[in-house]
Amino acid sequence: MTRLERRHEEAVTAALGAGGAARSSVVASWMRSARHHGLAPSLRPRDERMTQAELAQVRARMEPVLVSAQPTLDRLFGVMGSFGACVVLASDTGVPVERRGKASEDGDFARAGLWTGTLWSESAVGTNGIGTCIAEGRPMVIHRDQHFLSANIGLSCASAPIHDADGALVAVLDVSTAREDFAEAFAGLVSHSVTEAARKIEADLFHARFPKARMVLVPGLDRGLGALLAVNADELVIGATRAARQHLGLTGDLSRAPVPLADLLGLEAHERPEDGERAVIARAIARSGGNLSAAARRLGISRATLHRKIGRTE
């Protein structure tokens, strides 16, 4: 055991004895690691990985996320790889299934166990970026000796959850580095980038789920791409991201029980059958550049009929 590892174990033991869980999310995670999961800081993680067949099963279950995430993983690694970081996409159980890293640094991460097919749940290895992000359901930064196990204090990790179109946590995006000169203050900037990348993956996943719907960004909410509504041609909300659900108090399967967009956002809406007809006519005229004959052809009616309808709806 190195001197750093001994000091870390002493610090964890002292924090657990002092009971600082209410004041620190890290200490709260240490408490879960020790008292709920029965781990000790001195534990050496078992060097076990899933078989190729087992990993393939996890990847198959995550296929929609994997497809949506690829471009964002590449872009994020293009930025983060320059300072010795790897980018990891993990399952909702804490298993890395996809990673980006430099070949010259892969050995460091492999020795640390941060590799595809390993298990980084909080119950398996205590406080860590991936597992604690899953446990708390929010972005996390775990910097070096904030890890529970002394075996992991060489890593600094920034993670963010990824939710599917129903608001369920389905994956974790993580950026980790083993560099000793990685400053804790810089971790906040990395965490912001990771969180924004996770939101981008959520948005892409949401678009893939509702490819023909109109996307509406929830107004008055500083969540960037995160707070989206999927709206059908009848102006009914048939889907909402987790951020939108939380902000608007939405629950359940919106595709089965849609909600009027106007009701959610307090917008003016057509309430009578003739209002709907007027909207259809207005769209046809707009698409025809104001040409009534072309608009009538679009609507499959005569120009005279269109004139009568315009007269009734004015």
Side-chain angles (χ1 to χ4, degrees):
M1 179 189 300
T2 67
R3 182 182 302 175
L4 281 177
E5 289 175 339
R6 185 179 298 109
R7 282 182 6 206
H8 173 68
E9 292 174 15
E10 291 171 353
V12 172
T13 301
L16 294 177
R23 298 185 300 274
S24 167
S25 61
V26 170
V27 176
S29 177
W30 287 356
M31 289 280 192
R32 291 194 299 269
S33 302
R35 298 179 181 175
H36 184 66
H37 302 306
L39 304 176
S42 59
L43 177 70
R44 289 305 188 209
R46 292 175 293 180
D47 186 18
E48 294 182 357
R49 295 180 189 171
M50 286 182 166
T51 65
Q52 289 298 317
E54 291 170 334
L55 183 58
Q57 287 184 338
V58 178
R59 289 179 61 87
R61 180 170 60 86
M62 294 181 63
E63 184 177 4
V65 185
L66 286 167
V67 171
S68 294
Q70 297 301 322
T72 300
L73 294 177
D74 291 338
R75 285 193 296 268
L76 188 61
F77 179 65
V79 175
M80 300 298 173
S82 60
F83 58 84
C86 72
V87 175
V88 171
L89 183 71
S91 71
D92 58 348
T93 58
V95 176
V97 296
E98 187 88 3
R99 70 179 297 277
R100 303 284 188 276
K102 289 185 177 179
S104 60
E105 295 158 349
D106 283 350
D108 293 334
F109 293 109
R111 284 188 292 274
L114 189 55
W115 206 259
T116 54
T118 56
L119 180 60
W120 282 83
S121 65
E122 206 177 63
S123 61
V125 296
T127 306
N128 72 90
I130 295 172
T132 304
C133 176
I134 294 171
E136 301 206 358
R138 62 184 179 89
M140 297 295 304
V141 173
I142 304 297
H143 183 64
R144 298 182 71 80
D145 62 2
Q146 291 178 331
H147 286 83
F148 183 74
L149 300 188
S150 58
N152 295 332
I153 62 174
L155 294 172
S156 292
C157 312
S159 304
I162 296 171
H163 301 88
D164 66 9
D166 298 316
L169 193 154
V170 291
V172 171
L173 181 63
D174 174 82
V175 168
S176 293
T177 180
R179 284 179 54 164
E180 294 182 9
D181 60 350
F182 182 77
E184 185 174 0
F186 187 56
L189 295 176
V190 175
S191 178
H192 176 76
S193 296
V194 172
T195 300
E196 289 302 300
R199 288 176 181 167
K200 179 63 169 65
I201 294 172
E202 284 186 352
D204 290 343
L205 194 60
F206 193 69
H207 279 270
R209 172 75 174 271
F210 301 102
K212 296 183 178 180
R214 177 164 63 94
M215 295 292 148
V216 175
L217 188 63
V218 177
L221 188 61
D222 184 22
R223 297 201 181 203
L225 292 170
L228 291 173
L229 300 172
V231 181
N232 68 12
D234 298 321
E235 292 297 298
L236 297 175
V237 174
I238 56 174
T241 60
R242 182 173 182 269
R245 287 170 178 269
Q246 288 181 325
H247 184 68
L248 297 171
L250 295 170
T251 59
D253 185 351
L254 293 170
S255 63
R256 293 180 177 273
V259 180
L261 176 66
D263 292 359
L264 281 181
L265 303 185
L267 303 175
E268 182 181 351
H270 300 305
E271 300 295 344
R272 301 172 302 171
E274 55 266 33
D275 293 334
E277 183 178 62
R278 183 173 62 225
V280 171
I281 291 172
R283 285 196 295 271
I285 293 173
R287 287 167 180 157
S288 302
N291 186 314
L292 295 186
S293 296
R297 287 194 295 272
R298 278 180 175 272
L299 294 168
I301 59 178
S302 68
R303 181 185 171 96
T305 300
L306 176 58
H307 271 289
R308 286 198 301 273
K309 288 181 177 294
I310 292 174
R312 285 203 305 268
T313 57
E314 287 180 341

